[in-house]
Amino acid sequence: MGREQWKKIWVGSAGNMVEWFDWFVYATFAVYFADAFFPEGNETANLMNTMGIFAVGFFMRPVGGWLLGRIGDRKGRKAALTLTVTLMSASAILIAVAPTYAVAGYGGVAVLLVARLLQGLSVGGEYAASATYLTEASAPGRRGFASSFQYVSMTAGQLVGLGLQIVLQRTLSEDALHSWGWRVPFIVGAAGAAIVFYLRRSLLETEVYAESGAAADESRGTLTALWAHRREAVLVMALTMGGTVAYYTYTTYLTKFLSSSAGMTKPTASLVSFCALFVFMCIQPLAGMLSDRIGRRPLLVTFAVGSTFLTVPIMTLLKHAGTFWPAFGLALLALLIVTGYTSINACVKAELFPTGIRALGVALPYALANALFGGTAEYVALWFKKAGAESGFYWYVAGCAAVSLVVYLTMRETRDIDLNRGAVQDPAGRVPEGLGKASPSTL
């Protein structure tokens, strides 16, 4: 992989890290600011209200996926990446200055809601823009490795957020964190987004997009063009379903689960998440490299089988883990299983579509799946908890993984698809008879 390709991956990943830092710190710091925006009352109810607003951000992701996916296909990947980080910076500033319930009543909730809507727009386009960019910027035989850096950067953003939380927990009192300390990460996020905006302005367009002739096609990035690839779009939603539920269960929800259900202190729960996520981040490129050698489907199937049959016992044991090391071991096991999805899902989705519709083709169906399953995961978990049937959520996660397992077992391998031609090639570079364009029948 050449120096220029590494530069593209680095700049694209750095922006992705800041985007997801801003996105995840809302969830990780919700336990501290949930009571600030609602009247005093039941702590679980206030947390549910706050996470309900978190879920609203997910429902804006399809809009962001459509808008920024269209821009990515019509104006280029660079234009979409620059716009996403601008929107994220604005949303972080809004949350940082949002007035509390004691100051402005439900006015603070309104500001919080607007900020989450902007974040939803931004992240809805960021995933597809970065997935497409990282996949297109890599050499054909290294796409799994290169695209794995999307979840490296996503996890790095979450780790920075968790690390900042741990520092604040150890330097500020509980009262200070609930009073004003929770605003610090959003200020940091806004500053980071401003730096990334500068970096992305100098970003080079991918050669696949620049040389494809897609920019001259008037149908590029349109819903009409996406409709012609509707089967691939449905496939993206189906293969995302189990992965996104499992990912959000063991990342954003894990800290809350350990503190509220397993009885751990908040600092210990945060440390468990931080350590497990750090190892998880480090193994993403290794799994991506493995997929370049053996294909994407074996990793996806491994994830789905593990999540289907091990989610219930892992979550049950986590609830009774009690101390750091058992919780860390179980959390790491869960994230190792999830790696089969996270390390390669970006390139798998990008490989399904031709260049002129790739950004929108990844963005919209993925955002819809996240709105329905990923964004609601924590809310569903808290709903089961409030209803006194918390184990029901474990079976819900396992069921979603089972649906995706069926998809993984029936879909075709995408590793050898030529992004320039949308064709599947053999190792000698010949196009196998009968495959030609990547179409629903080849997938």
Side-chain angles (χ1 to χ4, degrees), residues 95-341:
I95 297 176
V97 302
T100 63
Y101 181 83
V103 174
Y106 285 107
V109 175
V111 174
L112 202 62
L113 182 60
V114 170
R116 285 301 295 176
L117 293 177
L118 288 176
Q119 284 190 336
L121 281 173
S122 175
V123 175
E126 172 67 23
Y127 174 88
S130 61
T132 302
Y133 190 88
L134 290 172
T135 302
E136 291 181 349
S138 60
R142 305 295 297 277
R143 291 199 300 255
F145 172 73
S147 65
S148 71
F149 281 88
Q150 183 176 53
Y151 270 83
V152 170
S153 55
M154 284 175 63
T155 307
Q158 189 173 5
L159 283 174
V160 173
L162 276 172
L164 182 57
Q165 184 181 56
I166 291 170
V167 170
L168 292 175
Q169 286 171 337
R170 282 159 172 72
T171 56
L172 299 178
S173 66
E174 189 80 2
D175 289 340
L177 277 169
H178 283 274
S179 177
W180 59 270
W182 60 267
R183 298 183 187 271
V184 173
F186 298 104
I187 297 172
V188 172
I195 295 172
V196 170
F197 175 81
Y198 172 77
L199 292 174
R200 283 188 169 179
R201 288 185 64 187
S202 62
L203 200 63
L204 297 175
E205 188 57 80
T206 66
E207 292 180 6
V208 171
Y209 181 83
E211 298 175 0
S212 67
D217 183 2
E218 288 301 318
S219 68
R220 65 194 186 280
T222 63
L223 293 176
T224 300
L226 181 60
W227 181 251
H229 297 273
R230 55 191 177 275
R231 188 169 179 179
E232 290 94 331
V234 172
L235 182 59
V236 168
M237 291 186 66
L239 66 88
T240 299
M241 178 181 176
T244 191
V245 171
Y247 177 74
Y248 280 98
T249 297
Y250 297 121
T251 56
T252 58
Y253 181 61
L254 180 64
T255 304
K256 301 180 189 65
F257 178 78
L258 292 176
S259 62
S260 64
S261 297
M264 290 186 176
T265 64
K266 291 176 182 176
T268 301
S270 296
L271 187 61
V272 168
S273 293
F274 183 90
C275 293
L277 283 171
F278 180 80
V279 179
F280 171 74
M281 177 184 69
C282 293
I283 63 175
Q284 298 305 298
L286 299 177
M289 291 174 64
L290 180 62
S291 78
D292 286 328
R293 294 181 64 86
I294 68 173
R296 321 298 189 208
R297 287 182 67 248
L299 272 72
L300 291 171
V301 170
T302 299
F303 150 71
V305 170
S307 290
T308 299
F309 295 103
L310 295 180
T311 293
V312 174
I314 287 175
M315 293 295 289
T316 301
L317 291 171
L318 270 173
K319 187 173 182 179
H320 300 93
T323 58
F324 173 85
W325 286 109
F328 169 73
L330 289 165
L332 183 57
L333 173 61
L335 288 171
L336 286 172
I337 293 170
V338 175
T339 296
Y341 167 80

Side-chain angles (χ1 to χ4, degrees), residues 48-121:
M48 284 185 67
N49 289 333
T50 308
M51 296 318 299
I53 295 176
F54 181 76
V56 167
F58 276 87
F59 283 97
M60 283 301 291
R61 287 176 67 166
V63 180
W66 166 74
L67 176 63
L68 293 161
R70 178 182 174 87
I71 291 173
D73 284 327
R74 298 183 72 85
K75 303 297 182 181
R77 316 313 187 200
K78 174 184 172 180
L81 286 169
T82 303
L83 182 55
T84 58
V85 77
T86 303
L87 292 172
M88 187 59 75
S89 179
S91 66
I93 292 172
L94 282 176
I95 297 176
V97 302
T100 63
Y101 181 83
V103 174
Y106 285 107
V109 175
V111 174
L112 202 62
L113 182 60
V114 170
R116 285 301 295 176
L117 293 177
L118 288 176
Q119 284 190 336
L121 281 173

